[in-house]
Amino acid sequence: GNSVTQMEGPVTLSEEAFLTINCTYTATGYPSLFWYVQYPGEGLQLLLKATKADDKGSNKGFEATYRKETTSFHLEKGSVQVSDSAVYFCALYEYNFNKFYFGSGTKLNVKP
Amino acid sequence: DAGVIQSPRHEVTEMGQEVTLRCKPISGHDYLFWYRQTMMRGLELLIYFNNNVPIDDSGMPEDRFSAKMPNASFSTLKIQPSEPRDSAVYFCASSLVPGQGDQPQHFGDGTRLSIL
């Protein structure tokens, strides 16, 4: 079946620290992969995406590379800011099932 | 573009009462999704519609839950009777073609439901 596993939080970092949030997936076909971000009291917003193997998605200083060989899509940022504090969700879209599958979310706290 | 609009933002009611959550998708979007978010289970897909027709309701937890989409601009999720374990944040999302484009899914801000 299809599923997404991401590291449990919360992750607490100091401002300007390096961020990695791990995400691995299982899929029956060739999914597209996404990272969504959820700020307090809001819905999910797309952060970045990658539609095929070796694609790198990037946005607002965040990056993630679609690694088919390791079935991973780890989120990274070189220097986090307090404003990056949010919950981050890894997700895959499986075209055969026409569905999104979301990870459990990782809460990031960035301290000044 | 007003985005996906959900109402109410917060709902507090007593066990056994009927609860109706509402969603207005983005105009022109053919797909509408209902999700439930809890600490224990994360984000779960309950049901989705394509052109107002329910396509997959395998995520609906029980017969107490029902969803309708009477037209392209409105959908409801009903719980009757409600139970404390239904307390969660319920999200509606819409899209043109899921998984594609710059915005594969647009989410509303959610309805925070508390069943006492």
Side-chain angles (χ1 to χ4, degrees), chain A residues 32 34 36 38 41-46 49 51 87 89 93 95 97-100 102-104, chain B residues 9 31 33 35 37 42-43 45 48 56 58 91 98-105 107-109:
Chain A
S32 292
F34 307 87
Y36 279 82
Q38 183 182 29
E42 298 183 10
L44 280 68
Q45 304 172 28
L46 180 66
K49 67 173 185 177
T51 57
V87 181
F89 290 88
Y93 180 76
Y95 291 92
F97 295 94
N98 209 17
K99 275 184 177 180
F100 279 87
F102 286 88
S104 56
Chain B
R9 288 298 311 275
Y31 289 82
F33 304 80
Y35 292 90
Q37 184 180 34
L43 195 64
L45 176 66
Y48 81 89
D56 185 342
S58 59
F91 287 103
Q100 297 183 18
D102 293 333
Q103 284 291 344
Q105 279 196 333
F107 280 80
D109 286 339

Side-chain angles (χ1 to χ4, degrees), chain A residues 70-88:
Chain A
T70 55
T71 62
S72 64
F73 193 55
H74 304 320
L75 182 68
E76 297 181 338
K77 187 174 184 181
S79 176
V80 293
Q81 306 300 311
V82 173
S83 57
D84 294 327
S85 298
V87 181
Y88 293 82

Side-chain angles (χ1 to χ4, degrees), chain A residues 43-44, chain B residues 3-7 21-26 31-37 43-47 49 68-69 73-77 89-95 105-111:
Chain A
L44 280 68
Chain B
V4 176
I5 299 172
Q6 292 187 245
S7 63
L21 311 181
R22 297 173 176 79
C23 175
K24 177 178 168 55
I26 292 173
Y31 289 82
L32 184 140
F33 304 80
W34 281 101
Y35 292 90
R36 179 172 67 177
Q37 184 180 34
L43 195 64
E44 305 171 275
L45 176 66
L46 300 177
I47 185 172
F49 295 83
K68 293 183 180 179
M69 193 165 185
S73 59
F74 184 65
S75 177
T76 59
L77 178 68
V89 181
Y90 291 80
F91 287 103
C92 178
S94 71
S95 68
Q105 279 196 333
H106 292 255
F107 280 80
D109 286 339
T111 294

Side-chain angles (χ1 to χ4, degrees), chain A residues 33-35 46-50 57-59 62-64 73 75:
Chain A
L33 302 174
F34 307 87
W35 277 100
L46 180 66
L47 180 59
L48 54 85
K49 67 173 185 177
S58 61
N59 186 25
F62 291 90
E63 292 183 342
F73 193 55
L75 182 68

Side-chain angles (χ1 to χ4, degrees), chain A residues 5-54:
Chain A
T5 303
Q6 58 183 106
M7 63 189 289
E8 288 193 21
V11 174
T12 301
L13 297 173
S14 297
E15 206 165 22
E16 299 184 3
F18 185 86
L19 169 71
T20 299
I21 300 178
N22 290 338
C23 172
T24 57
Y25 68 90
T26 58
T28 55
Y30 300 95
S32 292
L33 302 174
F34 307 87
W35 277 100
Y36 279 82
V37 59
Q38 183 182 29
Y39 298 102
E42 298 183 10
L44 280 68
Q45 304 172 28
L46 180 66
L47 180 59
L48 54 85
K49 67 173 185 177
T51 57
K52 61 183 187 297
D54 299 326

